[in-house]
């Protein structure tokens, strides 16, 4: 009985095992309903190949692992606490307003606007985030850490699929997704989209990249007779 009462301490939440529907979809378009989740986020703009992007990613991971490790050391764990695998890096991508005005179908990477994020378990709140963020900043004085925020984001109805291969080939997958949405009677809300990175681009070759692609949709308006 005592073991059952303390089962949460022995259980480790692993997103690859317990949340396959959202993080490990098939390599073909499908409809998904994505509820509200908590994230640590940082915003930026420009070419993802530049140093600023790398600094944003490093700051996020620094805080994500800082949260995980400091929680394990706490004398009083937050309600609902269980150990967990750190969630993957995600990116919300768009182009700046000036680029939208002159857009002709080709994206200049220097015009990109992004929000990078790593999801957090439900038992982490903003107060706990701020407490541990201060601890992490004492050890790592990176200026990017000050820009990291705590947010709750909801996507709602979406089309998603697993994209295999280089990022440059993503338009082919988006074309499949848009055709699928059309056949399902759904409209893509905007050109903004989300990417979830299941592989580390620093460690595998582009042909082995695995990226979840996702965009929000809404039902097509029914024409009035």
């Amino acid at each position: 009985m005592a073991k059952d009462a303390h089962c949460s301490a022995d259980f480790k939440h692993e997103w690859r095992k317990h949340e396959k529907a959202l993080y490990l979809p098939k390599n073909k378009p499908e409809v998904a309903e994505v509820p509200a989740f908590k994230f640590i986020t940082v915003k930026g703009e420009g070419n993802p190949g530049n140093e600023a992007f790398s600094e944003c990613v490093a700051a996020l991971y620094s805080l994500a692992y800082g949260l995980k490790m400091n929680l394990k050391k706490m004398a009083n764990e937050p309600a609902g606490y269980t150990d967990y695998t750190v969630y993957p890096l995600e990116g919300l991508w768009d182009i700046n307003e000036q680029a939208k005005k002159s857009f002709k179908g080709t994206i200049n990477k220097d015009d990109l606007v992004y929000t990078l994020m790593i999801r957090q378990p439900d038992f982490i709140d903003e107060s706990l985030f701020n407490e541990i963020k201060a601890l992490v900043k004492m050890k790592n004085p990176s200026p990017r850490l000050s820009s990291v925020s705590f947010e709750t984001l909801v996507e709602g109805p979406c089309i998603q699929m697993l994209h295999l291969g280089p990022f440059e080939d993503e338009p082919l997958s988006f074309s499949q997704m848009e055709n699928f949405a059309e056949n399902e009677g759904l409209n893509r809300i905007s050109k903004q989209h989300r990417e979830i990175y299941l592989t580390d681009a620093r460690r595998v070759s582009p042909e082995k990249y695995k990226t979840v692609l996702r965009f929000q949709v809404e039902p097509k308006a029914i024409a009035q007779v």
Side-chain angles (χ1 to χ4, degrees):
M1 184 69 178
K3 183 178 180 180
D4 292 339
H6 201 254
C7 63
S8 63
D10 301 323
F11 174 79
K12 183 175 182 178
H13 183 81
E14 299 183 51
W15 54 269
R16 285 185 178 273
K17 292 182 179 180
H18 303 112
E19 298 182 84
K20 291 182 179 180
L22 293 179
Y23 291 99
L24 298 172
K26 296 178 180 178
N27 180 224
K28 62 181 182 179
E30 62 184 22
V31 178
E33 183 72 29
V34 186
F37 291 127
K38 297 176 179 179
F39 292 89
I40 54 174
T41 68
V42 62
K43 293 175 169 48
E45 57 183 290
N47 194 314
N50 64 27
E51 186 177 355
F53 183 86
S54 298
E55 290 174 351
C56 287
V57 173
L60 276 181
Y61 274 117
S62 178
L63 269 174
Y65 281 96
L67 282 158
K68 174 182 167 66
M69 300 313 295
N70 279 283
L71 281 165
K72 295 180 78 169
K73 300 174 185 176
M74 282 187 166
N76 297 312
E77 298 170 346
Y81 170 81
T82 185
D83 192 16
Y84 61 97
T85 301
V86 170
Y87 281 90
L89 178 70
E90 305 186 30
L92 202 58
W93 293 91
D94 204 346
I95 55 176
N96 62 46
E97 293 303 318
Q98 187 61 38
K100 289 178 182 178
K101 293 176 182 178
S102 58
F103 184 70
K104 296 180 180 179
T106 302
I107 293 176
N108 183 332
K109 290 184 179 181
D110 292 333
D111 296 330
L112 289 169
V113 176
Y114 53 84
T115 300
L116 300 177
M117 62 192 76
I118 296 177
R119 188 178 149 197
Q120 300 301 301
D122 290 341
F123 52 78
I124 294 178
D125 59 20
E126 189 165 11
S127 175
L128 186 57
F129 162 75
N130 286 328
E131 178 184 340
I132 294 179
K133 179 179 177 180
L135 293 175
V136 173
K137 286 177 69 175
M138 290 174 63
K139 296 181 179 180
N140 178 9
S142 165
R144 294 284 176 182
L145 283 171
S146 298
S147 301
V148 179
S149 301
F150 187 84
E151 299 184 64
T152 297
L153 303 173
V154 58
E155 289 179 274
C158 295
I159 301 296
Q160 67 176 18
M161 72 175 285
L162 179 65
H163 172 76
L164 302 173
F167 299 135
E168 288 76 12
D169 292 345
E170 287 180 0
L172 297 173
S173 293
F174 280 121
S175 180
Q176 292 182 53
M177 294 164 70
E178 289 170 348
N179 290 336
F180 177 81
E182 177 74 20
N183 293 333
E184 292 292 314
L186 299 168
N187 279 328
R188 182 173 180 175
I189 292 177
S190 74
K191 287 300 182 182
Q192 184 183 78
H193 72 274
R194 182 181 295 257
E195 300 183 357
I196 304 175
Y197 307 105
L198 303 182
T199 47
D200 187 339
R202 300 167 301 177
R203 299 181 180 180
V204 299
S205 55
E207 65 270 15
K208 294 182 180 179
Y209 290 173
K210 294 182 180 180
T211 311
V212 179
L213 303 180
R214 186 185 293 159
F215 58 68
Q216 294 175 294
V217 293
E218 61 185 2
K220 288 180 179 289
I222 299 175
Q224 297 295 319
V225 178

